Amino acid sequence: MELKVKQVNRLDGVREALYFPALYVGFRLTVKHFWRNLFGSRDVVTINYPEEKRHVSARWRGRHRLTRRENGFLSCVACYMCETVCPSKCIHIEAGEHPDLSVEKYPVVFNIDELRCVFCGLCVEACPKDAIRMDTGVISMAYTSRQTFDFTRDLLRDNYDPKAHSNPKYEDYDLPSPSNQQEALPNSQGVPAS
Amino acid sequence: MLLEIIMIPAVLAIIKIMVIILLFAMPLGTVLTLMERKWSAMIQDRVGPNRANIGGFTGHGVLHLAADGLKSMFKEDTMPKGADGFLYLIAPFFGLIAGVATFAIIPLAGPIGNFTFQVTDIEPGLLFIFAITSLSVYGAVLAGTSSNSKFALLGGTRASAQMISYEVFMGLALMGVFMVYGTTRVSGIVDGQNEYWFGNLIPMWGVFTQPLGFVLFFTALIAETKRAPFDAPEGESEIVAGYFLEYSGMRWSAFMLAEYVALVGVASLITTLFFGGYHVPWLHLWENAPQWIVTILQLLKFSIFTVFFCWFQIQLRWTVPKFRFDQTMALGWKKLLPLSLANMIVTAFVILAFG
């Protein structure tokens, strides 16, 4: 087989040997950018990271969160699907009896060790109740101690900013609202996931 | 009494040295270390350094000057094993001394009576500059050889070869200027540029009398400062940082500062020799202008041109790609040296025919 060779025309002649035409073209470009950015930084594409954040795609798998029902309780029914499917064994669930008989179970303990998590998203796919999602938009977790990476149930439920949410299609009842919880189960005993 | 002490020539010279270096050369060089990063960021549509702050005040990155200074002061001054201790320790200051010494003959403004805004106006004038730039080669060579590092040695070799080659026609390129103005004395050359062609139309600046000489001399000076496009001695991609690879802390900063002081030196030399020095063009049309206004205008004109050429060199660095080392050598010996010889001969014939 014959190799395909692309011939690039070499620029030759006096024009190239003089350097100055090429210098002029280069200078026109760099000086243009310099003057445009000297007053007002018009072309600057930098995102000043900690202050400004880049738009995160709705499908980006960020830190997990636990969703709520319309009445404010956790959607999770402690079925252990996510814990079973998790390839890095970072989810730990302990089930408890839910006061609402139609729900049966709720997670008393729901811990995710974010240091072990590989962000594969299998827990989200496995969940039958859409109770765990990875759409918080938190794409970098940086803390100073290992314990901080152990996210407990309440942290996973509350610790996210709906405005920084990566998915614009989230439901309104996902937002935490204490009044909802009071109305939802006025006669509840025990400790529901409020 | 105090005035008498100040007017002793030696004391006056020392005061001038302090003022010119501490109030003009060094501050401008230091600010340029930041400005280079800031301006290159603007050229490349970036933001540049803007994080150093005192209680939230950043001043668009000005505090990085203080941060850099503090950092290099507190960094460990390392010396590689097997390095030649004495040479290794003094090498950084050769370049710095050479850069600073350039300002000895540069006039910042016109003389008022016996008082000149110039440290010394020696007869050899620009030959002193050639001598001093030769000295700055030692900084690179000594740093390269004494570091006991192969990359540093390569950088030092490259630097010495490049600087010595470009010194050859740096002198030849200026011969035209010497011939046109008939002197090597700096004040003579500057005053010669205060004449006009066609009545009062065009000032006889060096750039108009010696356009080719200007290009050649500027090129040679940029090669002398080892900045892009002639930064093969540093050659980040091939030999890491060249001759000052092993240095750290304040000694590394001395190399860095030397580069920027040399940059200011180049800018003021170009202004002095090719752009009328401190002479404000067409100012003589203003009859009986007060002396102090003239002096301030002259200082202003000199500073503006110097800052402009500093900016120009930085812009050049961020515009053109680096020459390969053999290209640097070929450009110097095969193109610029014959050109400068031709420039000299043509100038001589023109002066013989019309002068």
Side-chain angles (χ1 to χ4, degrees):
Chain A
M1 199 185 91
E2 205 173 322
L3 282 173
K4 226 180 163 183
V5 177
K6 189 186 172 194
Q7 287 282 340
V8 179
N9 286 329
R10 276 190 163 263
L11 296 166
D12 270 327
V14 183
R15 202 183 136 86
E16 281 302 305
L18 272 177
Y19 293 111
F20 285 97
L23 258 185
Y24 170 72
V25 174
F27 256 85
R28 208 173 51 185
L29 185 75
T30 53
V31 171
K32 193 183 90 187
H33 278 264
F34 176 76
W35 282 109
R36 276 182 66 81
N37 291 325
L38 186 58
F39 304 106
S41 310
R42 273 170 287 187
D43 291 339
V44 169
V45 292
T46 309
I47 298 167
N48 290 310
Y49 171 62
E51 294 94 35
E52 299 169 22
K53 288 206 169 69
R54 194 173 159 180
H55 171 71
V56 178
S57 158
R59 295 170 59 183
W60 181 286
R61 297 195 291 269
R63 208 200 66 210
H64 315 74
R65 71 184 179 100
L66 295 177
T67 61
R68 292 160 180 270
R69 293 158 194 274
E70 282 179 66
N71 59 17
F73 287 116
L74 284 173
S75 309
C76 181
V77 292
C79 67
Y80 292 89
M81 289 281 216
C82 49
E83 187 177 331
T84 311
V85 79
C86 181
S88 57
K89 303 274 182 284
C90 66
I91 303 179
H92 173 69
I93 303 173
E94 282 170 24
E97 199 170 333
H98 199 280
D100 187 346
L101 288 178
S102 66
V103 180
E104 288 186 5
K105 286 201 291 180
Y106 79 99
V108 179
V109 176
F110 194 113
N111 286 352
I112 299 183
D113 185 354
E114 299 283 4
L115 272 180
R116 293 196 64 158
C117 178
V118 294
F119 298 93
C120 60
L122 286 180
C123 49
V124 180
E125 285 177 37
C127 185
K129 290 283 183 186
D130 192 19
I132 184 166
R133 290 191 192 172
M134 299 179 81
D135 60 355
T136 46
V138 179
I139 58 170
S140 77
M141 278 175 280
Y143 308 112
T144 46
S145 78
R146 283 172 180 274
Q147 283 72 39
T148 328
F149 286 91
D150 246 330
F151 276 75
T152 58
R153 183 194 66 190
D154 292 1
L155 266 177
L156 286 167
R157 186 190 58 206
D158 300 332
N159 193 13
Y160 80 100
D161 178 13
K163 288 194 201 88
H165 213 266
S166 66
N167 194 345
K169 290 185 287 183
Y170 68 92
E171 290 82 8
D172 273 334
Y173 55 77
D174 287 350
L175 298 173
S177 120
S179 62
N180 254 358
Q181 296 165 23
Q182 290 297 318
E183 291 161 19
L185 272 183
N187 305 320
S188 74
Q189 293 151 16
V191 195
S194 58
Chain B
M1 181 63 196
L2 191 67
L3 199 68
E4 279 172 25
I5 294 175
I6 288 174
M7 290 315 280
I8 297 170
V11 177
L12 192 63
I14 288 169
I15 291 173
K16 281 177 185 171
I17 290 170
M18 297 301 249
V19 169
I20 289 178
I21 289 170
L22 293 182
L23 291 184
F24 184 75
M26 286 297 215
L28 198 51
T30 314
V31 168
L32 279 176
T33 57
L34 177 70
M35 282 302 128
E36 166 129 44
R37 289 186 280 160
K38 222 44 193 170
W39 289 346
S40 65
M42 288 171 189
I43 292 165
Q44 297 174 345
D45 291 348
R46 293 183 284 113
V47 177
N50 64 349
R51 291 287 146 160
N53 64 75
I54 296 174
F57 171 77
T58 60
H60 290 276
V62 172
L63 292 174
H64 274 267
L65 286 175
D68 290 346
L70 277 175
K71 181 192 130 188
S72 42
M73 264 189 267
F74 287 111
K75 261 184 116 170
E76 188 190 351
D77 190 12
T78 58
M79 197 199 287
K81 211 173 174 182
D84 188 328
F86 178 65
L87 293 181
Y88 183 83
L89 293 182
I90 60 163
F93 303 105
F94 271 95
L96 197 57
I97 289 167
V100 165
T102 314
F103 294 94
I105 58 154
I106 287 173
L108 301 189
I112 305 173
N114 281 330
F115 181 79
T116 54
F117 287 86
Q118 189 182 11
V119 176
T120 173
D121 190 18
I122 45 175
E123 182 61 39
L126 287 159
L127 303 182
F128 170 75
I129 293 288
F130 299 152
I132 285 299
T133 46
S134 316
L135 190 68
S136 74
V137 180
Y138 282 98
V141 174
L142 292 182
T145 49
S146 65
S147 288
N148 191 27
S149 155
K150 290 178 180 65
F151 286 136
L153 185 60
L154 271 174
T157 319
R158 282 187 185 191
S160 56
Q162 174 178 320
M163 290 170 85
I164 290 168
S165 310
Y166 277 68
E167 245 162 51
V168 172
F169 73 84
M170 183 172 85
L172 288 172
L174 266 195
M175 287 302 154
V177 173
F178 294 159
M179 281 190 266
V180 169
Y181 300 110
T183 177
T184 58
R185 195 185 272 269
V186 179
S187 60
I189 292 174
V190 171
D191 286 337
Q193 295 180 76
N194 201 22
E195 318 255 313
Y196 293 85
W197 277 326
F198 313 118
N200 283 323
L201 201 59
I202 302 172
M204 259 177 73
W205 282 1
V207 69
F208 299 128
T209 54
Q210 283 285 311
L212 186 60
F214 165 65
V215 172
L216 293 169
F217 187 63
F218 203 2
T219 315
L221 277 181
I222 291 168
E224 284 293 313
T225 54
K226 302 184 286 293
R227 285 173 60 81
F230 300 103
D231 61 346
E234 287 174 31
E236 289 90 350
S237 51
E238 312 130 33
I239 49 174
V240 199
Y243 52 90
F244 61 90
L245 167 63
E246 300 290 347
Y247 284 87
S248 72
M250 218 51 208
R251 284 177 209 284
W252 181 86
S253 293
F255 274 114
M256 219 53 200
L257 197 59
E259 183 182 328
Y260 286 96
V261 168
L263 191 124
V264 180
V266 167
S268 38
L269 258 186
I270 291 290
T271 309
T272 306
L273 299 178
F274 291 97
F275 287 86
Y278 52 77
H279 281 300
V280 185
W282 305 293
L283 194 66
H284 67 284
L285 296 179
W286 184 10
E287 303 282 342
N288 52 51
Q291 182 64 49
W292 60 276
I293 288 185
V294 172
T295 304
I296 285 173
L297 281 177
Q298 285 173 342
L299 278 172
L300 209 62
K301 188 254 180 182
F302 183 83
S303 309
I304 287 172
F305 270 68
T306 305
V307 170
F308 172 78
F309 282 108
C310 290
W311 169 82
F312 185 83
Q313 287 177 79
I314 287 173
Q315 192 80 28
L316 188 74
R317 173 174 172 185
W318 294 94
T319 301
V320 287
K322 175 164 71 186
F323 282 112
R324 224 167 46 216
F325 190 63
D326 61 314
Q327 288 172 331
T328 310
M329 286 288 125
L331 182 75
W333 288 107
K334 289 183 192 165
K335 287 182 179 165
L336 299 182
L337 181 63
L339 266 179
S340 54
L341 283 169
N343 180 48
M344 193 172 86
I345 291 165
V346 169
T347 309
F349 274 109
V350 167
I351 289 174
L352 196 65
F354 302 103

